[in-house]
Amino acid sequence: MYKQAGHSLEMHRIVKQFGSVIANDQIDFAVKAGEIHALLGENGAGKSTMMCMLSGVYRPTSGDIVLNGRKVHIRSPKDAMELGIGMVFQNFRLVQTLTAAENIVLGEKTSFWRGPRWMKQKQQEIETIARHFGLTFPVDRPIWQLSVGEQQRVEIVKTLYRGASIIILDEPTSVLTPGEADQLFRTLIRMKEEGKTVIITTHKLKEVMAVSDRISVMRKGKLTHTMDKTDTNERELAQLMVGKTVSEARHLPERPQGKPLLTVEQVDVYADHGRKALDNFYLQVMEGEIVGVAGVAGNGQKELAEMLSGLRSWKRGKVYFDGKELKNGSVRGAIEAGISHVPENRMKSGLAGSLGIVDNLLFKSYRTKERSKYGLLRTAGNRVWSEELVAQFDVKTPSLDTPVRHLSGGNQQKLLFAREVHQNPRLMVAVHPTQGLDVGATEGVHQLLTDLRNRGRSVLLISEDLDEVMLLSDRILIIYNGRIIGEMRRNEADRDRIGMLMAGLQEAEEETG
């Protein structure tokens, strides 16, 4: 019999091979019943591959999976769910045009044909589960109208609704504010108290120490360490993950304040759902500074980034860049002005997953004389150029022709930065630039942004990770309900005060004062 004392899930000698690449190499992994188990590792270490085998997305090349002492074969996500294993992926698997409730019941044999009364009953069941675990969201609203945090709640409730006893969450706090993350932790603890087993993959060491019971560390496809939380600390975990000490602070040398580079005046921008996302919005960014924009998801950050990069037009107001009026809704105008953009969702609007390295690097420079001649791409020269960028930014890829969707999240982000930084931008608009990245990759991105700033370039850093904003920014702006409601210099930033402003509490105080 396989089962070890107290273990509800075990993986024995698991190997997963993709062609000549071994993603998981003789993995032995065990999770106790009713615990929160954190799985750490650099991007590409094999964590997601391991979890995808548990959730039925991949099948092991060799090895055994044991559930409650019984060897099982998980051939599909349906098999996994029938065994009580549910996974919440970092990139949510939701149908945007369906409501939250419809997404949750999707796949049931009686899903939609029973009519409105049946659906109303299901909505009530879903609302009961959501309230019980502190995961409320509007069940009758289409997914595309929900914030990222609300969409994650839908995914978690979906696994609970379908009866999962083992719940896997991939980077669950990567898009959450500190307050939302705290609420998620309370939910995970509630799940644990009710006997559910939770496995989380994450790169945020403070959160691992706050919520997990045990921790496993992976490196280069192997599981190297498993320990109780009480037997380790953040510094040791970081060293085990990346094999070196990582810096805890970043020095930003003082620079004389430059002239205004970007000025946004009295701008109104509307979101996809038709409501005003930016309301009489004002913003100014000086040359040679990092301006951090902190806020809860859904307060206009997405629309601000899209407006500046030409992906979304504004209805009123003016935008000036280096003293000249910026073209409204023009991607090419933004590129020619010197604005680079690292979007929130790198695979949705940053990279083309089915194309290779060279094509993705060419997206913004194929018109230049260095990359093409007489309308024809310089194929040989572009491959050499791509190899140089891949080496410079340490992008790990089997070849230049590998579809970028096959790269790890960290290497996708490095590739995206390689393209955008190579443009030598005067302003980098970076949205959640380290979302889903491990400690080492995060440090590399932070260094890239800092180097831009130290070269006299500007960065507009839009992030829901308050620690990141406070670490990197010369100035911090707090956005709420489509407006900037607070500003602090780096040396006067107060975490509690910023958190209150992010929640809109300042406005409430002013109204009652």
Side-chain angles (χ1 to χ4, degrees), residues 382-401:
N382 290 342
R383 289 187 71 87
V384 172
W385 166 74
S386 298
E387 288 172 351
E388 291 172 352
L389 283 180
V390 164
Q392 180 183 346
F393 287 83
D394 192 28
V395 180
K396 293 181 174 61
T397 176
S399 77
L400 292 179
D401 301 313

Side-chain angles (χ1 to χ4, degrees), residues 10 42 280 323 361 402 459:
E10 300 164 41
E42 291 186 280
N280 198 29
L361 287 174
T402 300
V459 177

Side-chain angles (χ1 to χ4, degrees), residues 10-37:
E10 300 164 41
M11 303 178 80
H12 295 282
R13 304 177 303 279
I14 291 290
V15 174
K16 181 58 183 175
Q17 193 164 348
F18 298 95
S20 61
V21 177
I22 299 177
N24 287 156
D25 187 4
Q26 297 292 329
I27 295 290
D28 287 311
F29 177 65
V31 181
K32 295 179 180 178
E35 76 168 345
I36 300 175
H37 197 117

